[in-house]
Amino acid sequence: MNNQVAHPSSSSSSDAFSFISKGWREVRDSADADLQLMRARANSFKNLASSFDRELENFFNSASTSLVAPPSENNFVKKLQPKISEFRRVYSAPEISKKVLEKWGPTRAKLAIDLSSIRNALVSEVEGDGSVEFDRVWRGRRRLKFKEFWGEWKDEEENEGNQTEEWKPIRDLKKRFKELEKKSELGEIFEGFKNSELVEKVKSSLKSIRKDPQESQEVPPLDVPELLASLVKQSGPFLDQIDICDKIVDSLCSKRKNQLLLHSLSSGESSLDELDVRIASVLQSTGHHYEGGFWTDNAKYIPEDGRRHVAIVTTASLPWMTGTAVNPLFRAAYLAQSDKRNVTLLVPWLCKSDQEIVYPNSLTFSSPEEQESYIRNWLEERIGFKADFRISFYPGKFSKERRSIIPAGDTSQFIPSKEADIAILEEPEHLNWYHHGRRWTDKFNHVVGIVHTNYLEYIKREKNGALQAFFVKHINNWVARAYCHKVLRLSGATQDMPKSVVCNVHGVNPKFLRIGEKVAADRELGQHAFSKGAYFLGKMVWAKGYRELIDLLAKHQTDLDGFKVDVYGNGEDALEVKSAAKSLNLNLNFLKGIDHADSSLHGYKVFINPSISDVLCTATAEALAMGKFVVCADHPSNEFFRSFPNCLTYKTSDDFVAKVKEAMEKEPQPLTPEQSYNLSWEAATQRFMQHSDLDKILTEDRGAATATTRPPMPAVPKASEVLDGGLAFAHYCLTGNEFLRLCTGATPGTRDYDKQHCKDLRLLPPHVENPIYGW
């Protein structure tokens, strides 16, 4: 299974319109450059005409003063000297001289020529309305239009016979003005756009992905006026408020209407209807599906075989034993049990240098396939069935400061557009802190975020924690609102985010429930199930509850005389934790971190978890599933567990002592079938489907749409939708600046993946224009 190899030819049809949308800024810049170039050329021609007028007047003035200034002293005359004899010969005819001399005033000291008379003599008088004006005409005369000044041009065929009779500089100047007049037409301007490099790339992209080359040749790609009209039309929900959308589209389409519309169109249709049919024809010839407008994406993905695609994107992967590595893996396995869904789990790939830091026991992988094999073997040992889902990788880098993995590049591009249906973002704030790429809600039909971690509680423990927490809180709200349709918070311990509800959508490994069933069976047979006392298990960092545990035991060392706790864990703060416990002479036995399902942990009766930084402690759920007592704080993170009789919560330190003594003296109650089901992944999946609205979305009949179906006009967007789009755009702009990324704590080089990622994942270099990396 090769999920990472990329090739440009595999781009789906919808990516061409993604390219057009992303290249709109280039189209606008190219248009501005072309217009500025044309304006500069027009000004140069105007200056040339003014210069010619002045030089010609000086020439005749010098001739009238009879050797006052020799012709050789005038640079312009010097250039025209070889033509003077020809000029005099051609224009010495009596009828011409008579017309010219009639304009000369008898009292003028210098010779002045009204060029309109020369124009009447040189060119036949033709009626017409010119469009080019000179800034100034001779000696204060009224402003004249171009054709009024020079007259209408004759066709080349008509002038061929008279070319020898015209003065060459005049003929060349007339030719240049004729070219300028042609280029001034609106159609010629758009012809310049059409021939630009960007538009040629767009055309070639449309041609390269067509379904039937022979058929698509009959339908030309959209011209720039059509593209502009389509963009205006898609902005209709806004422009309709000021009643100009129809007028703009009509104006853009009217110039080239006969060339743009199909022969089958009736003359009674409006420009909007005609444009719809035109776009539908191009889409049909290229194989595209309609992807909506600026404000809404009405049909991003359409299931053809009735199966829906679900992409689960997470921030960690096994063998890192953390909640964001384990829980999304189980979620993918249980969602894939339905034959109506195709599931892809997208996990980060770390280069070997980062693997050595993150993964326990110096475990590393030389290829994604090797790590995928490890993940599948670990999962199948615990769930007892073969899970039918795909595992893919995206580039990631480990941040030592944040102790987490930061995505490198645009993570959304590792899901093909043809499969971009449902996205589940495990830790949406974490995934999108520095996300610089396509907006998730623009690419996917429905995006659900699941908040795992109480980052604010962790940050408050750092230096200047209150100030950092203030900014992180608002950034989390920002990205959650911009990139998610729905947000699920595992408990009330997390910050209140937009579009969020509180629901525990995590279950426990079926292996723990089987352990609990065995414990209950042994107790029914009269066997003693628990031979050990209390233990604590968790990553050895202060924020995971070690500070609270040491403080409680130190304060009540006398009340809990003889009470011993075995601590299992590894982590960055291991030395500090052990040193603090030793300095206080606490009865803590530190052991190496192991899997919670390890047989050496089955004999413990009490699980101690004083942590108040967790959102929903997985270890607590696993301990309850194994039939143990759990002593935990009365905290929103433990709200889900209060209904279980074996969960003993405390509010004060004295209450903690009482609960510990109660647990050590009594025996836990066996779990009922209902309680076991509530802890299972089957129940968690059902809760997830209900609270994320996927039970409605995945069962709705979207139908099979065709490219020839006229797309519905987008509805007027809500103010909240416009605001969300603005937030996403602002976030995209800010995360595109490397300096701002580094100032806010981003890992250097995470805006794009590096060469090592390209080598490991067999990706194209990030600078190559490939709309879907890794496929």
Side-chain angles (χ1 to χ4, degrees):
M1 181 183 299
N2 186 1
N3 299 325
Q4 291 80 30
V5 178
H7 197 278
S9 61
S10 64
S11 300
S12 66
S13 58
S14 62
D15 294 322
F17 280 118
S18 174
F19 176 82
I20 294 174
S21 177
K22 290 181 178 180
W24 169 239
R25 180 177 297 175
E26 298 181 24
V27 173
R28 184 188 62 190
D29 294 342
S30 176
D32 291 341
D34 290 342
L35 290 174
Q36 291 176 3
L37 180 59
M38 291 189 63
R39 189 180 295 110
R41 288 179 177 175
N43 290 334
S44 65
F45 278 120
K46 184 169 61 178
N47 294 335
L48 178 61
S50 299
S51 176
F52 175 76
D53 291 341
R54 290 192 299 269
E55 295 292 348
L56 190 60
E57 183 180 12
N58 292 336
F59 170 76
F60 284 109
N61 288 338
S62 63
S64 66
T65 57
S66 182
L67 300 179
V68 171
S72 59
E73 294 180 4
N74 191 309
N75 292 332
F76 182 75
V77 174
K78 183 185 294 185
K79 295 178 181 179
L80 299 180
Q81 193 170 13
K83 297 294 182 178
I84 290 177
S85 58
E86 180 182 351
F87 173 83
R88 292 176 176 173
R89 183 176 61 254
V90 174
Y91 294 102
S92 60
E95 60 277 11
I96 296 179
S97 301
K98 181 178 179 181
K99 292 183 178 181
V100 172
L101 292 176
E102 287 177 355
K103 298 297 181 179
W104 295 356
T107 60
R108 295 185 183 181
K110 295 183 179 180
L111 179 63
I113 301 176
D114 187 346
L115 292 184
S116 63
S117 300
I118 296 180
R119 184 262 301 172
N120 294 334
L122 295 177
V123 187
S124 299
E125 209 68 57
V126 180
E127 295 182 357
D129 55 338
S131 58
V132 179
E133 295 185 6
F134 288 104
D135 286 340
R136 188 173 182 86
V137 184
W138 303 88
R139 299 189 181 277
R141 285 182 167 80
R142 65 182 183 89
R143 297 171 62 88
L144 300 177
K145 294 184 178 181
F146 175 77
K147 290 184 178 180
E148 186 180 357
F149 185 91
W150 290 104
E152 283 285 328
W153 305 114
K154 295 183 179 180
D155 294 338
E156 295 295 334
E157 294 79 0
E158 299 177 10
N159 289 333
E160 285 180 356
N162 299 327
Q163 284 182 358
T164 57
E165 300 180 1
E166 288 188 348
W167 189 27
K168 189 176 184 301
I170 298 295
R171 187 171 65 251
D172 292 343
L173 186 60
K174 289 163 59 178
K175 183 177 180 180
R176 288 177 179 269
F177 276 122
K178 180 178 180 181
E179 294 175 355
L180 176 62
E181 183 181 17
K182 289 183 178 180
K183 289 184 178 180
S184 65
E185 297 297 330
L186 182 61
E188 293 296 327
I189 294 176
F190 284 114
E191 285 295 328
F193 289 153
K194 185 174 68 175
N195 295 329
S196 65
E197 182 180 356
L198 177 62
V199 177
E200 291 301 325
K201 289 183 179 180
V202 174
K203 290 182 178 180
S204 62
S205 299
L206 292 174
K207 293 179 181 179
S208 63
I209 59 176
R210 59 196 177 194
K211 285 185 176 180
D212 188 354
Q214 295 180 352
E215 180 182 356
S216 63
Q217 289 177 356
E218 300 176 0
V219 181
L222 297 175
D223 289 339
V224 170
E226 292 175 310
L227 292 175
L228 294 176
S230 176
L231 294 175
V232 171
K233 173 176 170 290
Q234 293 177 39
S235 301
F238 170 73
L239 296 177
D240 282 346
Q241 305 300 321
I242 53 179
D243 195 25
I244 63 172
C245 180
D246 293 351
K247 297 179 181 179
I248 296 176
V249 174
D250 288 338
S251 176
L252 289 170
C253 294
S254 60
K255 294 292 183 180
R256 302 171 61 85
K257 181 176 180 180
N258 294 332
Q259 301 176 12
L260 301 179
L261 301 181
L262 298 178
H263 296 292
S264 60
L265 291 176
S266 62
S267 59
E269 293 192 62
S270 66
S271 296
L272 287 173
D273 294 335
E274 295 166 349
L275 183 62
D276 286 342
V277 178
R278 168 68 174 143
I279 293 175
S281 301
V282 175
L283 293 179
Q284 185 178 19
S285 66
T286 58
H288 278 290
H289 292 289
Y290 177 69
E291 298 226 359
F294 283 152
W295 311 106
T296 56
D297 292 328
N298 297 319
K300 301 164 193 161
Y301 166 84
I302 299 177
E304 297 179 355
D305 55 357
R307 294 176 67 91
R308 306 299 296 270
H309 289 273
V310 179
I312 302 176
V313 188
T314 187
T315 58
S317 175
L318 295 178
W320 191 11
M321 296 300 297
T322 184
T324 53
V326 175
N327 290 306
L329 181 61
F330 282 109
R331 195 182 326 280
Y334 282 88
L335 284 176
Q337 284 186 309
S338 172
D339 57 0
K340 296 182 179 181
R341 293 191 288 266
N342 293 324
V343 179
T344 299
L345 177 64
L346 193 61
V347 298
W349 167 261
L350 298 178
C351 298
K352 185 157 292 186
S353 58
D354 284 340
Q355 293 183 31
E356 294 171 352
I357 300 174
V358 177
Y359 298 153
N361 304 322
S362 301
L363 184 61
T364 60
F365 306 96
S366 58
S367 67
E369 290 79 10
E370 185 180 348
Q371 185 171 0
E372 179 181 347
S373 177
Y374 175 91
I375 294 172
R376 292 190 181 278
N377 292 336
W378 185 94
L379 178 65
E380 291 178 7
E381 288 177 2
R382 287 157 177 77
I383 61 177
F385 61 89
K386 188 174 181 61
D388 184 18
F389 66 94
R390 185 170 59 192
I391 298 178
S392 298
F393 294 84
Y394 67 86
K397 291 187 177 183
F398 182 70
S399 172
K400 294 181 181 179
E401 294 76 14
R402 296 182 179 273
R403 297 175 180 176
S404 58
I405 298 173
I406 303 298
D410 180 8
T411 308
S412 67
Q413 296 195 12
F414 290 86
I415 298 296
S417 294
K418 62 182 180 182
E419 300 177 3
D421 186 11
I422 308 296
I424 302 172
L425 305 184
E426 311 277 352
E427 292 199 317
E429 71 279 45
H430 183 160
L431 284 170
N432 292 302
W433 279 334
Y434 304 106
H435 175 71
H436 181 69
R438 188 173 180 184
R439 186 183 178 192
W440 294 94
T441 52
D442 285 344
K443 182 170 184 176
F444 292 84
N445 291 311
H446 192 66
V447 181
V448 180
I450 303 177
V451 180
H452 289 246
T453 308
N454 189 355
Y455 286 106
L456 300 185
E457 185 64 32
Y458 292 150
I459 293 172
K460 288 178 182 178
R461 300 167 186 260
E462 300 177 359
K463 184 179 180 180
N464 299 322
L467 180 61
Q468 292 187 61
F470 172 80
F471 287 108
V472 172
K473 175 182 178 180
H474 291 284
I475 292 173
N476 289 347
N477 287 337
W478 182 355
V479 296
R481 179 168 184 171
Y483 294 113
C484 297
H485 292 115
K486 195 73 175 282
V487 177
L488 301 181
R489 299 157 53 205
L490 297 179
S491 73
T494 63
Q495 68 181 87
D496 187 11
M497 291 186 177
K499 311 175 184 178
S500 67
V501 295
V502 176
C503 179
N504 174 23
V505 293
H506 286 178
V508 298
N509 185 338
K511 193 172 185 178
F512 293 103
L513 291 172
R514 291 195 291 268
I515 295 172
E517 293 172 358
K518 183 178 182 305
V519 169
D522 291 342
R523 291 180 61 182
E524 288 182 0
L525 296 175
Q527 299 179 6
H528 188 64
F530 300 111
S531 59
K532 300 179 182 179
Y535 74 105
F536 176 61
L537 179 144
K539 185 178 180 181
M540 200 167 290
V541 294
W542 286 115
K544 281 293 185 181
Y546 286 90
R547 173 62 66 189
E548 290 82 358
L549 178 63
I550 290 177
D551 290 344
L552 287 170
L553 295 179
K555 184 176 182 180
H556 297 281
Q557 197 168 7
T558 303
D559 298 331
L560 295 173
D561 186 27
F563 178 68
K564 177 184 176 182
V565 179
D566 291 335
V567 179
Y568 294 86
N570 303 315
E572 294 85 352
D573 298 333
L575 293 178
E576 296 181 14
V577 172
K578 293 177 182 179
S579 177
K582 185 177 180 180
S583 64
L584 295 172
N585 196 26
L586 299 180
N587 196 4
L588 293 176
N589 181 31
F590 292 96
L591 300 169
K592 187 178 181 180
I594 58 175
D595 192 329
H596 203 178
D598 192 274
S599 59
S600 62
L601 300 178
H602 295 177
Y604 287 100
K605 184 172 68 169
V606 182
F607 176 69
I608 306 292
N609 183 20
S611 174
I612 57 174
S613 63
D614 286 320
V615 172
L616 185 83
C617 184
T618 303
T620 297
E622 293 169 347
L624 290 174
M626 289 188 287
K628 305 178 186 296
F629 275 125
V630 173
V631 178
C632 59
D634 186 5
H635 188 261
S637 61
N638 298 317
E639 181 68 28
F640 177 79
F641 305 122
R642 288 179 182 173
S643 60
F644 294 87
N646 293 337
C647 180
L648 307 178
T649 60
Y650 63 89
K651 294 183 178 180
T652 64
S653 60
D654 293 334
D655 197 15
F656 169 75
V657 175
K659 298 298 182 183
V660 168
K661 291 182 177 180
E662 178 183 352
M664 296 299 294
E665 295 171 357
K666 297 182 179 180
E667 289 294 320
Q669 300 180 18
L671 293 177
T672 64
E674 181 181 0
Q675 293 169 350
S676 296
Y677 176 77
N678 288 337
L679 289 172
S680 68
W681 266 105
E682 287 84 358
T685 303
Q686 184 179 8
R687 292 193 298 268
F688 171 75
M689 296 290 291
Q690 178 182 356
H691 287 84
S692 65
D693 298 332
L694 287 187
D695 55 346
K696 301 176 182 178
I697 294 174
L698 292 179
T699 56
E700 68 181 358
D701 184 13
R702 296 176 63 88
T706 61
T708 56
T709 303
R710 181 177 300 174
M713 288 295 295
V716 176
K718 299 179 181 178
S720 59
E721 295 175 355
V722 176
L723 179 59
D724 293 348
L727 291 174
F729 179 74
H731 183 263
Y732 177 84
C733 295
L734 293 175
T735 55
N737 186 285
E738 185 66 16
F739 176 75
L740 293 178
R741 293 171 67 92
L742 297 179
C743 289
T744 54
T747 302
T750 53
R751 188 174 62 179
D752 295 306
Y753 46 81
D754 55 27
K755 294 182 179 179
Q756 188 60 45
H757 283 126
C758 295
K759 180 179 179 181
D760 294 345
L761 296 175
R762 297 183 292 277
L763 302 174
L764 293 176
H767 64 274
V768 176
E769 293 185 3
N770 187 7
I772 301 181
Y773 302 141
W775 295 90

